[in-house]
Amino acid sequence: MRGMDEYHNGNEGSFSSEEADSVVKECIESVVGGDDYSQSQVNKWTASIVERCLTQLIKQGKPYKYIVTCAVMQKTGAGLHTANSCYWDTAVDGSCTVRWENRTMYCVVSVFAVAIA
Amino acid sequence: MTMEEYNSGDEVVFSADEASISVKECIEGVIGGTDYNQSKVNQWTASIVEHSLTHLVKQGRPFKYIVNCSIMQKSGAGLHTANSCYWDTATDGSCTVRWENRTMYCVVSVFAVAVAL
């Protein structure tokens, strides 16, 4: 999307949190931007968000396996806490988490990228 | 537990059932018998992911792991989660454990990505 293709030498293909962040934000916006929480649609939304994010990431053609998770929660004042921990190669693997909200719901999407040897 | 005997050739498969059992024990060990508590929940999610990861790594299998934990207060709000993975379906795998008590829900997902040997 930006100038990352210019860096095509040797170790090109490291995971960029910033790029993943923008990809994820766009996917969330395109699926639920402007909608109010709807119990009958939320399953579709979470599935669409993960599928879109995954598709966009794969298109970048980097040598990675990806895991994308998405949680959508209705805003009612309840507490939601999430944590994650990874056992991998910190030199080449990476993750990014995007928190998004509108008036009626929260959406948290995490992307984990594991380098293929 | 007797997986060491299967050290012949290419036996590297993620066992979702074993991981599930391990994760359930970790959850019970951290929050079994407690009520949702806003001041402790951050500690709980961190402990659950750390304990789960430690158990998995101890199994000594050639995998990288990502463990994700969400705890939500029971208040009637809707919470929906989805995940999607782009990896090698022959060797990689995941498992998700849903646990609840009177005051909270806990959802833990483990993703295991095979390391090329």
Side-chain angles (χ1 to χ4, degrees):
Chain A
M1 254 164 293
R2 297 187 336 253
M4 290 299 272
D5 311 299
E6 299 159 31
Y7 293 90
H8 252 283
N9 50 349
N11 276 344
E12 156 52 41
S14 58
F15 179 68
S16 161
S17 279
E18 291 92 21
E19 271 195 75
D21 209 88
S22 351
V23 165
V24 168
K25 281 198 181 92
E26 284 172 22
C27 291
I28 297 176
E29 274 292 333
S30 71
V31 176
V32 296
D35 290 317
D36 283 344
Y37 180 83
S38 158
Q39 181 163 331
S40 59
Q41 308 222 73
V42 68
N43 274 338
K44 252 196 284 172
W45 289 339
T46 49
S48 290
I49 290 169
V50 294
E51 284 309 320
R52 270 186 212 211
C53 290
L54 204 51
T55 305
Q56 295 303 325
L57 289 163
I58 293 166
K59 267 193 198 166
Q60 290 174 356
K62 292 182 183 168
Y64 279 91
K65 294 179 175 180
Y66 296 102
I67 291 139
V68 182
T69 67
C70 168
V72 174
M73 186 172 95
Q74 194 177 10
K75 273 189 173 178
T76 57
L80 169 70
H81 294 256
T82 67
N84 61 66
S85 195
C86 309
Y87 176 73
W88 57 20
D89 183 340
T90 52
V92 294
D93 303 326
S95 71
C96 86
T97 297
V98 173
R99 290 161 197 77
W100 181 97
E101 64 180 282
N102 68 11
R103 204 178 47 89
T104 57
M105 56 187 166
Y106 294 106
C107 177
V108 183
V109 176
S110 290
V111 173
F112 301 94
V114 181
I116 295 171
Chain B
M1 253 86 32
T2 51
M3 288 300 272
E4 288 96 44
E5 297 162 31
Y6 293 89
N7 244 23
S8 50
D10 284 336
E11 195 52 57
V12 167
V13 173
F14 175 65
S15 165
D17 298 317
E18 274 194 69
S20 253
I21 292 169
S22 196
V23 165
K24 278 193 185 102
E25 285 175 15
C26 291
I27 297 175
E28 276 290 333
V30 177
I31 53 178
T34 53
D35 283 345
Y36 181 84
N37 180 333
Q38 182 163 330
S39 61
K40 297 196 152 161
V41 69
N42 274 338
Q43 259 177 280
W44 290 338
T45 48
S47 290
I48 290 168
V49 293
E50 283 308 319
H51 285 196
S52 301
L53 200 53
T54 303
H55 276 249
L56 290 162
V57 169
K58 264 193 201 166
Q59 289 172 2
R61 297 195 185 141
F63 282 98
K64 293 179 174 179
Y65 297 102
I66 291 140
V67 182
N68 198 26
C69 168
S70 299
I71 291 180
M72 186 170 94
Q73 194 178 12
K74 272 189 173 176
S75 63
L79 170 69
H80 294 258
T81 66
N83 63 66
S84 195
C85 309
Y86 176 72
W87 56 22
D88 183 342
T89 52
T91 54
D92 305 330
S94 71
C95 82
T96 296
V97 174
R98 290 162 196 77
W99 180 98
E100 65 180 280
N101 68 10
R102 204 178 48 90
T103 57
M104 57 187 166
Y105 294 106
C106 176
V107 183
V108 176
S109 291
V110 174
F111 302 94
V113 181
V115 173
L117 293 168

